[in-house]
Amino acid sequence: MTETTRTPADGAPDGFGGPAAEELRTLLLSRIQDVPDYPKPGVMFKDITPLLADAAAFGALTEALAELCVRHRADKVVGLEARGFILAAPAAVRAGIGFVPVRKAGKLPGATLGQAYELEYGTAEIEIHADALAPGDRVLVIDDVLATGGTAEASLQLIRRAGARIAGVAVLLELGFLDGRGRLLGALDSAPLEALITV
C-alpha cells in the first residue's frame, strides 16, 4: 500500500493529503451523485451507490480506508449501520484485521452493550456485542458520512466502555456545514478524524 501524508500547513487536519489523495478525491466525487430534495425538500442527498457500482472507484476507496487502518495501527474496524458496513468490512479484510458491526438496538443476538444518543427530535440507541472487542484493542470507526456526529460519538463511547482504545474515525464524506467534527473533538480525545472528502 502507498501511504500519502500532508502536513497541517497544507490544510489537511489529520494527515490525508498529497497528489495521490487529490486524485482519489476527484475519482470518488465523480461517482457520488447529488439527489435534490431527498429525503425531504431542500435537502441535497449524496448518493454513493454509483461509486459502489464502479469497481475501480470502490476498490480505490477500500484501499484508502485500509491504508488508514494500517497507518493508525488499528486492531479492529467498527462499521456503523448501515452504509458504514459496506465500507468498513472490505477495508478490514484488505488491512488484515477484524470487522465489528455497530447496529441499531435490538438487531444483535446475545449479550450487548448499548449506548443512547440524542437526535434532533428524540433519541436513538446503538449496540455492539459485549465480547466483540478485547481490552486494549485499537479500533478505527468507519462510516460513509459524518453529518452531525451523533452516531459516531455514541460509537466512541461504546468502544471505550468495552475497554478498547480509539485509533480514529474515518469517513468517506464529511458535511462540514453540520459541524460533526466539532461535536466529536472531545470524544476523540486527540485521536484523528480522517475525511476523504469534505463538502
Side-chain angles (χ1 to χ4, degrees), residues 1-121:
M1 291 182 281
T2 303
E3 186 171 303
T4 60
T5 59
R6 174 182 278 184
T7 64
D10 292 323
D14 295 312
F16 187 82
E22 196 54 46
E23 186 177 319
L24 174 64
R25 284 186 187 97
T26 300
L27 171 63
L28 298 178
L29 275 171
S30 74
R31 303 301 190 272
I32 296 172
Q33 182 177 358
D34 286 342
V35 181
D37 299 320
Y38 182 84
K40 60 184 182 179
V43 173
M44 181 65 76
F45 185 79
K46 300 290 186 180
D47 182 12
I48 68 167
T49 56
L51 188 161
L52 301 175
D54 183 306
F58 193 14
L61 172 59
T62 299
E63 183 70 19
L65 293 172
E67 287 179 11
L68 292 176
C69 294
V70 173
R71 180 185 304 163
H72 298 304
R73 302 181 318 280
D75 301 307
K76 298 268 177 67
V77 169
V78 156
L80 305 184
E81 188 168 347
R83 289 183 301 267
F85 296 172
I86 300 169
L87 306 186
V93 170
R94 180 68 182 89
I97 59 179
F99 166 74
V100 177
V102 166
R103 302 219 52 194
K104 295 175 182 174
K107 300 290 188 179
L108 291 171
T112 60
L113 293 174
Q115 183 66 48
Y117 62 100
E118 297 292 323
L119 298 171
E120 188 176 356
Y121 301 104

Side-chain angles (χ1 to χ4, degrees), residues 180-197:
R181 181 177 292 268
R183 180 173 182 167
L184 288 184
L185 282 179
L188 281 165
D189 191 27
S190 79
L193 169 56
E194 303 268 16
L196 276 62
I197 300 168

